[in-house]
Amino acid sequence: MSNDRHARTQAIHAGTRRSQYGEVSEAIYLTQGFVYDSAEQAEARFEETGPDEFIYARYGNPTVAMFEDRIATLEGAEDAFATASGMAAVSGALISMLKAGDHVVSARALFGSCIYVLEEILGRYGVEVTFVDGSDLGAWEAAIREDTRAVFFESVANPTLEVIDIEAVAKLAHAKGALVVVDNVFATPVFSRAISQGADVVIYSATKHIDGQGRALGGVVLGSRDFIRGTLEPYMKHTGGSMSPFTAWIMLKGLETIDLRVRAQAASAQELAEALEGHAALARVLYPGLSAHPQNALAMQQMGAGGTVLSIDLKGGKAAAFAFLNALQVGVISNNLGDAKTIVTHPATTTHQRLPQETKDLLGITPGLVRVSVGLEYTGDLKADLLQALDAAAQA
């Protein structure tokens, strides 16, 4: 299909491979191996696989290839490699490009598992990591050195929704020859412009908006063909972090509706954030779509929308936050995001629990902070549910 089609069309059709049966829905090739017509063909394929040639499911699979081609087209990347989870994508992208003695600069506002990869795993293998305030361009400029191999950040930080200027950080990194690696989960493939804004490598937890219905773990790394096939693929296929064919089929089905889902969720999130802003029980509402957000202008320029997630900080601290969560009737308490169901999370005691208190304080992860991943329920029902839960919290 021509790449000049609208993203919504590409999300449904790009990368499609049909068998001789002409199926409408993509086929699931549930096989771990492939048969060769001859010993000579097997030898040739192990020397170099051509387009639509496969050896072993850990190396590649037709269903997985469809997902990789489709998401790469949607993202505007040359290539993609699908992984078993979002963290397999993060760890694979970083470890495959780094070696002992390399230097990485990272924003400090990260998901807890990402911090573990950077501090514990990379540190164990001799990679030096410097953490900076992601919103401070001066801090990036001071930290990036001649020996800096990569910079890493979440384009929208979890859970405080700080927005990082991709283009500005990329210019600083590229001036020193460093690669720009962006965890782009909160931006989603719908609002992402990361490649055109200077990102060299873009990572998604496909578990989130790409699946969008809480069914499967998955991840994907996108970038240049040289990086994906020359650097990442050898590491992933030998360490075993590839995506299963069944999961790839689920992700293909998710991509068919992602544009409609994410735009509807973001519209609801904007309405909810505006409705909650200034509520007496709240110290603050964090949402990039609000004019009061410190990076509102950047978010609009970079994504064109505020995204599907908002955070609220209850004045009553942990007790009020727990009372709020326990009073919910529509939203569910869990630790995922990007789902069709509205999911509400208390980061300080769950996703970011293991962070030292001083780090939580530095990042703004207060005892009263609650993350709300807005789903596809009727916005009026969500608004009523959040407001009644806030009333319950105020009385706790």
Side-chain angles (χ1 to χ4, degrees), residues 118-171:
L118 287 159
E119 285 190 330
E120 298 293 331
I121 297 177
L122 295 183
R124 191 182 305 159
Y125 293 106
V127 176
E128 181 187 355
V129 180
T130 301
F131 290 96
V132 299
D133 177 350
S135 64
D136 184 348
L137 291 178
W140 284 104
E141 186 171 17
I144 298 170
R145 312 185 312 223
E146 296 296 336
D147 65 340
T148 302
R149 170 67 176 146
V151 301
F152 177 74
F153 55 91
E154 296 172 353
S155 56
V156 181
N158 178 15
T160 54
L161 304 176
E162 172 185 273
V163 183
I164 308 297
D165 190 331
I166 297 173
E167 187 171 2
V169 174
K171 286 180 180 177

Side-chain angles (χ1 to χ4, degrees), residues 16 18 33 45 52 59 63 68 176 183 217 272 279 294 354 359 383:
T16 298
R18 289 191 172 90
R45 198 168 294 182
D52 278 336
Y59 293 12
T63 313
E68 291 170 343
K176 301 285 183 161
D183 183 332
L217 293 175
L272 292 171
H279 192 284
R354 288 180 173 81
T359 304
K383 188 184 302 182

